[in-house]
Amino acid sequence: MKIHELHKNAKVPDNHVAIKFKDRVYTYGEVDTLIDKYASFFQSIGVKKGDRVALSFPNCPEYIFSFMGASKAGAIVVPLNMMLILEEIAYIIIESGANTIVIHPLIAQKIDKSQLGRLNLKNVVVLDENTINAILKMGPSQHVEIEPDEVCTYIYTSGTTGKPKGAMLTHNNFIADVKALDDVSDLGPEDNFLCVLPLFHSFSWTVNILLGFYLGSAITIKESFMPKDTLEILTKEDVTVFCGVPSMFAVLMRMVEKGQFKALRLAISGGAPLAPEIQRGFEEKFNFPLVEGYGLSEAAPVALLNPLEPDAIRKPGSVGLPLPCVEAKIVDENDNELPVGEVGELVLRGPNIMVGYHNMPEETAKTLRGGWLHTGDLAKKDEDGYFYIVDRLKDMIILGGFNVYPREVEDALLEHPDVLEVAVIGVGDPLKGEEVKAFVVLKEGAKADKKELQNFLKNKLASYKIPKIFEFVPELPKNAAGKIQKKLLK
């Protein structure tokens, strides 16, 4: 199976609702027709099998049709973060070898299209009303033979450790991940996924769109996460599944009265660590699961997930168990497996793991050495097989010979009633090598200061882990997926 065929697995009637966007509803029959028309359009402008097609869109159905249509035409899709500046877009286009870019009109307004001329692009398509009308008049596409193990997309990592790397993912990678998610859930055609996470992000693309299509569910798409708008949808519409990042759940928990959601029965958190007190508070308030998982673009992306059943064991602070298709273990610097409870690097193996990084053979060999994906995340496993992310390997602070994991400090600070958000980093210190610094966002009206927070931490952390430097800020820098950008703080 290929990703542009996922909707055919659902075996729902053609008139079953597939996508809701603003006042427009698309049925599964319409989606199938539109994917084929977009494929025919790409073929008409000279896109051939193996060509790279870059997409720059906010959330909208046309992004899905463009992705699936280009895939059906045999192209490799290169999703672009819509917040990238032209210089960053240029790097990815050149690195990926893309010869076609499709741009939403809202994005086109912000880009100097004359500058795209230096990138040797064969096609610069602005998907405006005229272009869409032309696509709707297209006839059937020409069949292109595509094998499931062929690469279908390059997903560029956020570049926290240097220049973005293009993770090459096959159709099989995504299919394996989607089937594993189906195996551990009871979701189906009667469900309605709310998609507010950006579609260019692998978490949103796999869990909201690909899984939704595979199940025959409805997918309600919003352009972005706007708290009041999201709350209105959750309270008035039949949304049953909501995927978000921790900051979204923290905001909703403050806004919503108990029992206010109309049909929501499952919330899934990913993209960043979920503080245990947010999870506990959310579940106590609304009496349904807020399930934390773990993934990364290189794994298509979901690899670990807490059980989804309402009465299953979910451990606060844990990212759960490996999906049925995934093997996971904790290793030391020599790739020797560590025993239960010891902290090391999390490595993964399974059919959802990328084939490598585009044009980076050395980085690929290093990351996939021994047949295991080395995630760069420090983690540990408990006696029940549940995994806990301790921190990014490269974010670990070494203070006078002691290891300090920012995640541990952040979780402790978030337990203070005045703290809304926090990010902990290491800063240079001439004596200790590094010192612990905390950037803190206080809740509205709160007045906690450095001394109060340090005293609060005395019974929670070893003294060397307690930040010596505090900076109180109105907000923390985040990327489009809601993940805190520590590299900007550093």
Side-chain angles (χ1 to χ4, degrees), residues 178-463:
V178 165
K179 286 183 175 179
L181 288 166
D182 179 33
D183 286 344
V184 298
S185 78
D186 64 348
L187 304 175
E190 71 284 354
D191 282 296
N192 181 2
F193 288 71
L194 176 59
C195 175
V196 297
L197 288 167
L199 286 173
F200 58 76
H201 193 274
S202 57
F203 175 33
S204 184
W205 180 245
T206 295
V207 181
N208 284 320
I209 307 304
L210 300 186
L211 178 61
F213 276 176
Y214 184 79
L215 298 170
S217 305
I219 306 164
T220 299
I221 298 174
K222 302 300 294 183
E223 288 151 306
S224 62
F225 175 71
M226 302 296 290
K228 289 183 179 179
D229 184 42
T230 300
L231 179 58
E232 184 173 2
I233 292 169
L234 292 173
T235 54
K236 294 183 178 179
E237 298 188 20
D238 292 326
V239 168
T240 60
V241 183
F242 176 48
C243 301
V245 295
S247 57
M248 294 178 181
F249 297 110
V251 168
L252 289 174
M253 194 164 61
R254 293 200 310 273
M255 294 175 63
V256 182
E257 295 300 323
K258 193 168 185 176
Q260 196 170 338
F261 298 137
K262 181 179 180 182
L264 196 61
R265 68 187 184 95
L266 174 64
I268 300 176
S269 179
L274 176 66
E277 63 275 9
I278 293 177
Q279 182 182 26
R280 281 192 295 263
F282 196 93
E283 292 193 347
E284 287 172 4
K285 192 169 190 178
F286 305 118
N287 197 31
F288 66 84
L290 171 55
V291 179
E292 183 174 12
Y294 167 87
L296 64 169
S297 297
E298 292 88 340
V302 187
L304 305 168
L305 191 66
N306 271 277
L308 298 180
E309 299 85 358
D311 57 348
I313 296 173
R314 284 180 300 280
K315 300 189 178 187
S318 168
V319 292
L321 304 165
L323 290 182
C325 70
V326 176
E327 295 177 75
K329 63 181 181 179
I330 308 298
V331 299
D332 63 17
E333 61 272 14
N334 297 315
D335 287 343
N336 298 311
E337 186 169 4
L338 292 170
V340 165
E342 288 200 23
V343 174
E345 185 176 8
L346 173 63
V347 297
L348 306 168
R349 184 166 67 182
N352 59 321
I353 303 301
M354 69 168 185
V355 295
Y357 294 116
H358 181 252
N359 277 345
M360 293 185 175
E362 291 182 5
E363 192 71 26
T364 296
K366 176 184 174 184
T367 303
L368 296 178
R369 63 185 184 273
W372 291 81
L373 171 65
H374 289 67
T375 66
D377 285 318
L378 290 170
K380 61 184 179 180
K381 182 174 75 170
D382 69 15
E383 62 280 358
D384 298 320
Y386 285 69
F387 285 78
Y388 299 76
I389 302 300
V390 177
D391 227 316
R392 284 291 299 171
L393 191 59
K394 294 184 181 295
D395 283 345
M396 185 176 69
I397 302 165
I398 303 177
L399 186 156
F402 292 99
N403 294 340
V404 178
Y405 304 120
R407 168 77 188 275
E408 182 184 9
V409 183
E410 289 162 355
D411 283 350
L413 277 168
L414 283 167
E415 292 181 21
H416 191 284
D418 283 3
V419 175
L420 177 62
E421 289 186 308
V422 62
V424 171
I425 66 169
V427 294
D429 183 275
L431 294 176
K432 302 176 184 176
E434 286 187 288
E435 190 54 88
V436 184
K437 179 176 181 179
F439 291 84
V440 177
V441 180
L442 295 176
K443 294 176 182 176
E444 188 175 350
K447 297 179 180 179
D449 58 13
K450 171 183 173 179
K451 185 176 180 180
E452 179 178 338
L453 294 179
Q454 286 178 324
N455 287 333
F456 177 77
L457 294 176
K458 283 181 179 178
N459 293 324
K460 297 180 178 294
L461 298 172
S463 59

